[in-house]
Amino acid sequence: IEHHALKVNLYKTASYTVLRPIQLGMALGGADQILIDSVPAYAEPAGVAFQLRDDLLGAFGDPDVTGKSDCEDLLRRKPTWLRARALATDPLGDPDPANPLAVRMWLLRTGAVSATEAKIHDLHRRAIGALRRMPVDRQLQAELEEVTASLVERRS
């Protein structure tokens, strides 16, 4: 189930939030195919990290700050990686989604939150490593590193 959740993040969110917009901008700007082909190694882990952060914010963020409904994904039992990680640790402990506090405590108790933070960190590291191998000016890399940090470390 964790693998499935990551695949959804990759094919859905990473593709339309990070990968395709960058490739489209590059193509419209006249970038060569080598550069365009180097984008997935960066954009896929960055996009998945973005979605994992979004899942954490959906579960634990302040709706007034995030603009997201309070625990909507938890209430719908959406198959996020965060929830899949908790189920992998405690398959019988999935609390009633009508009790968001119990669900949050379950996510913390099972280690799903810390595992998600670790996964975000690893994906961010992979994205930056790929970015540094892209055939672009160092200044552009530095700017994209800042954008990447804002995607994966955001609090809203």
Side-chain angles (χ1 to χ4, degrees):
I1 189 168
E2 291 170 76
H3 177 73
H4 175 72
L6 285 178
K7 284 286 189 191
V8 169
N9 290 344
L10 175 64
Y11 292 128
K12 183 181 171 208
T13 305
S15 292
Y16 73 75
T17 304
V18 183
L19 175 62
R20 294 299 180 217
I22 292 173
Q23 287 180 320
L24 179 60
M26 287 179 164
L28 291 172
D32 66 33
Q33 194 61 44
I34 292 171
L35 179 56
I36 293 171
D37 290 346
S38 72
V39 174
Y42 156 77
E44 290 174 357
V48 172
F50 170 84
Q51 182 59 53
L52 293 177
R53 174 64 63 208
D54 198 63
D55 294 342
L56 283 172
L57 290 171
F60 293 93
D62 178 348
D64 292 333
V65 175
T66 64
K68 296 172 74 65
S69 299
D70 190 28
C71 299
E72 181 180 333
D73 291 347
L74 299 176
L75 292 171
R76 292 184 4 223
R77 287 195 160 139
K78 186 176 175 183
T80 64
W81 193 83
L82 174 66
R83 185 166 178 275
R85 186 71 208 123
L87 284 168
T89 304
D90 184 12
L92 301 177
D94 190 7
D96 179 355
N99 185 347
L101 179 60
V103 176
R104 288 180 182 122
M105 295 305 297
W106 175 66
L107 294 170
L108 288 164
R109 182 177 44 77
T110 60
V113 173
S114 59
T116 303
E117 288 288 358
K119 188 78 164 165
I120 291 168
H121 175 76
D122 179 59
L123 290 163
H124 185 192
R125 182 188 54 74
R126 285 179 35 212
I128 296 304
L131 171 60
R132 291 180 179 162
R133 292 186 300 275
M134 289 174 71
V136 296
D137 178 80
R138 180 63 191 129
Q139 177 60 36
L140 293 173
Q141 287 178 356
E143 290 174 17
L144 195 50
E145 283 184 36
E146 288 180 30
V147 169
T148 306
S150 70
L151 285 174
V152 302
E153 296 171 5
R154 71 191 197 285
R155 298 294 168 213
S156 63

